[in-house]
Short mmCIF file of all heavy atoms in Angstrom, two decimals:
data_model
loop_
_atom_site.label_atom_id
_atom_site.label_comp_id
_atom_site.label_asym_id
_atom_site.label_seq_id
_atom_site.Cartn_x
_atom_site.Cartn_y
_atom_site.Cartn_z
N LEU A 127 4.97 12.90 4.72
CA LEU A 127 5.69 12.51 5.92
C LEU A 127 7.20 12.68 5.78
O LEU A 127 7.90 12.87 6.79
CB LEU A 127 5.36 11.05 6.27
CG LEU A 127 5.78 10.56 7.65
CD1 LEU A 127 5.12 11.39 8.74
CD2 LEU A 127 5.41 9.09 7.82
N ASP A 128 7.70 12.62 4.57
CA ASP A 128 9.14 12.71 4.33
C ASP A 128 9.70 14.03 4.87
O ASP A 128 9.17 15.11 4.59
CB ASP A 128 9.43 12.60 2.84
CG ASP A 128 10.91 12.46 2.56
OD1 ASP A 128 11.63 11.90 3.40
OD2 ASP A 128 11.34 12.90 1.48
N GLY A 129 10.74 13.94 5.66
CA GLY A 129 11.39 15.12 6.20
C GLY A 129 10.78 15.64 7.50
O GLY A 129 11.22 16.67 8.01
N THR A 130 9.79 14.95 8.02
CA THR A 130 9.16 15.38 9.27
C THR A 130 10.18 15.34 10.39
O THR A 130 10.92 14.38 10.55
CB THR A 130 7.98 14.45 9.63
OG1 THR A 130 7.01 14.53 8.59
CG2 THR A 130 7.35 14.82 10.95
N VAL A 131 10.20 16.41 11.16
CA VAL A 131 11.07 16.47 12.34
C VAL A 131 10.20 16.12 13.54
O VAL A 131 9.20 16.77 13.82
CB VAL A 131 11.69 17.88 12.51
CG1 VAL A 131 12.53 17.93 13.76
CG2 VAL A 131 12.51 18.23 11.28
N VAL A 132 10.59 15.06 14.24
CA VAL A 132 9.79 14.56 15.35
C VAL A 132 10.21 15.24 16.64
O VAL A 132 11.40 15.34 16.96
CB VAL A 132 9.95 13.02 15.47
CG1 VAL A 132 9.14 12.49 16.64
CG2 VAL A 132 9.53 12.34 14.18
N ASP A 133 9.22 15.72 17.39
CA ASP A 133 9.44 16.36 18.69
C ASP A 133 9.72 15.26 19.72
O ASP A 133 8.85 14.45 20.03
CB ASP A 133 8.20 17.15 19.08
CG ASP A 133 8.36 17.92 20.38
OD1 ASP A 133 9.43 17.82 21.01
OD2 ASP A 133 7.40 18.62 20.76
N GLU A 134 10.93 15.23 20.23
CA GLU A 134 11.32 14.19 21.18
C GLU A 134 11.06 14.57 22.63
O GLU A 134 11.34 13.79 23.53
CB GLU A 134 12.80 13.84 20.98
CG GLU A 134 13.08 13.27 19.61
CD GLU A 134 14.55 12.92 19.41
OE1 GLU A 134 15.20 12.48 20.38
OE2 GLU A 134 15.03 13.11 18.29
N ALA A 135 10.55 15.76 22.86
CA ALA A 135 10.29 16.22 24.22
C ALA A 135 9.18 15.39 24.87
O ALA A 135 8.22 15.00 24.20
CB ALA A 135 9.89 17.69 24.20
N PRO A 136 9.30 15.14 26.16
CA PRO A 136 8.28 14.35 26.87
C PRO A 136 7.07 15.21 27.25
O PRO A 136 6.68 15.29 28.41
CB PRO A 136 9.03 13.84 28.10
CG PRO A 136 10.05 14.90 28.37
CD PRO A 136 10.44 15.44 27.03
N THR A 137 6.49 15.84 26.26
CA THR A 137 5.32 16.69 26.48
C THR A 137 4.11 16.07 25.78
O THR A 137 4.25 15.15 24.97
CB THR A 137 5.55 18.10 25.90
OG1 THR A 137 5.78 17.98 24.49
CG2 THR A 137 6.75 18.77 26.54
N ARG A 138 2.92 16.60 26.08
CA ARG A 138 1.72 16.10 25.41
C ARG A 138 1.79 16.33 23.92
O ARG A 138 1.40 15.48 23.12
CB ARG A 138 0.48 16.78 25.97
CG ARG A 138 0.09 16.29 27.32
CD ARG A 138 -1.19 16.94 27.78
NE ARG A 138 -1.48 16.51 29.13
CZ ARG A 138 -2.42 17.01 29.87
NH1 ARG A 138 -3.18 17.99 29.40
NH2 ARG A 138 -2.64 16.55 31.09
N THR A 139 2.27 17.50 23.55
CA THR A 139 2.38 17.81 22.11
C THR A 139 3.33 16.84 21.42
O THR A 139 3.03 16.32 20.34
CB THR A 139 2.87 19.26 21.93
OG1 THR A 139 1.97 20.14 22.58
CG2 THR A 139 2.97 19.62 20.46
N GLY A 140 4.49 16.59 22.05
CA GLY A 140 5.45 15.66 21.47
C GLY A 140 4.89 14.25 21.40
O GLY A 140 5.06 13.55 20.40
N SER A 141 4.19 13.86 22.44
CA SER A 141 3.59 12.52 22.47
C SER A 141 2.54 12.38 21.38
O SER A 141 2.48 11.34 20.70
CB SER A 141 2.96 12.27 23.84
OG SER A 141 2.34 11.01 23.88
N ARG A 142 1.71 13.40 21.22
CA ARG A 142 0.69 13.35 20.16
C ARG A 142 1.32 13.25 18.78
O ARG A 142 0.86 12.49 17.93
CB ARG A 142 -0.19 14.60 20.23
CG ARG A 142 -1.32 14.46 21.20
CD ARG A 142 -2.30 15.62 21.06
NE ARG A 142 -2.65 16.03 22.41
CZ ARG A 142 -2.46 17.23 22.93
NH1 ARG A 142 -1.96 18.19 22.20
NH2 ARG A 142 -2.79 17.48 24.16
N GLN A 143 2.37 14.03 18.57
CA GLN A 143 3.02 14.00 17.27
C GLN A 143 3.66 12.63 17.00
O GLN A 143 3.54 12.08 15.91
CB GLN A 143 4.09 15.09 17.15
CG GLN A 143 4.67 15.13 15.73
CD GLN A 143 6.01 15.78 15.65
OE1 GLN A 143 6.79 15.74 16.59
NE2 GLN A 143 6.29 16.37 14.50
N ARG A 144 4.32 12.07 18.01
CA ARG A 144 4.93 10.75 17.83
C ARG A 144 3.88 9.69 17.54
O ARG A 144 4.07 8.80 16.71
CB ARG A 144 5.78 10.38 19.05
CG ARG A 144 7.06 11.20 19.15
CD ARG A 144 7.98 10.70 20.25
NE ARG A 144 7.37 10.70 21.57
CZ ARG A 144 7.33 11.76 22.39
NH1 ARG A 144 7.84 12.92 22.00
NH2 ARG A 144 6.78 11.66 23.58
N THR A 145 2.75 9.79 18.22
CA THR A 145 1.65 8.85 17.98
C THR A 145 1.13 9.00 16.55
O THR A 145 0.89 8.00 15.85
CB THR A 145 0.50 9.09 18.98
OG1 THR A 145 1.00 8.85 20.30
CG2 THR A 145 -0.67 8.16 18.71
N GLU A 146 0.98 10.23 16.10
CA GLU A 146 0.51 10.48 14.73
C GLU A 146 1.49 9.94 13.70
O GLU A 146 1.09 9.31 12.71
CB GLU A 146 0.31 11.98 14.52
CG GLU A 146 -0.27 12.33 13.18
CD GLU A 146 -0.48 13.82 13.02
OE1 GLU A 146 -0.98 14.45 13.97
OE2 GLU A 146 -0.14 14.34 11.95
N VAL A 147 2.78 10.15 13.92
CA VAL A 147 3.80 9.65 13.00
C VAL A 147 3.79 8.13 12.99
O VAL A 147 3.86 7.50 11.93
CB VAL A 147 5.20 10.21 13.36
CG1 VAL A 147 6.29 9.47 12.61
CG2 VAL A 147 5.27 11.70 13.08
N SER A 148 3.66 7.53 14.16
CA SER A 148 3.62 6.07 14.25
C SER A 148 2.43 5.50 13.47
O SER A 148 2.58 4.54 12.70
CB SER A 148 3.53 5.65 15.72
OG SER A 148 3.45 4.25 15.84
N ARG A 149 1.28 6.11 13.65
CA ARG A 149 0.09 5.65 12.92
C ARG A 149 0.25 5.85 11.42
O ARG A 149 -0.17 5.01 10.63
CB ARG A 149 -1.15 6.38 13.42
CG ARG A 149 -1.59 5.92 14.78
CD ARG A 149 -2.81 6.66 15.24
NE ARG A 149 -3.20 6.22 16.57
CZ ARG A 149 -4.03 6.86 17.35
NH1 ARG A 149 -4.59 7.99 16.93
NH2 ARG A 149 -4.33 6.40 18.54
N SER A 150 0.84 6.96 11.05
CA SER A 150 1.06 7.23 9.63
C SER A 150 1.99 6.18 9.02
O SER A 150 1.73 5.68 7.91
CB SER A 150 1.66 8.62 9.41
OG SER A 150 0.74 9.61 9.79
#
Side-chain angles (χ1 to χ4, degrees):
L127 193 59
D128 189 30
T130 299
V131 178
V132 179
D133 183 359
E134 297 180 36
T137 61
R138 285 184 184 171
T139 303
S141 178
R142 275 190 223 120
Q143 185 201 30
R144 289 188 301 275
T145 298
E146 184 179 316
V147 168
S148 178
R149 287 180 181 165
S150 294

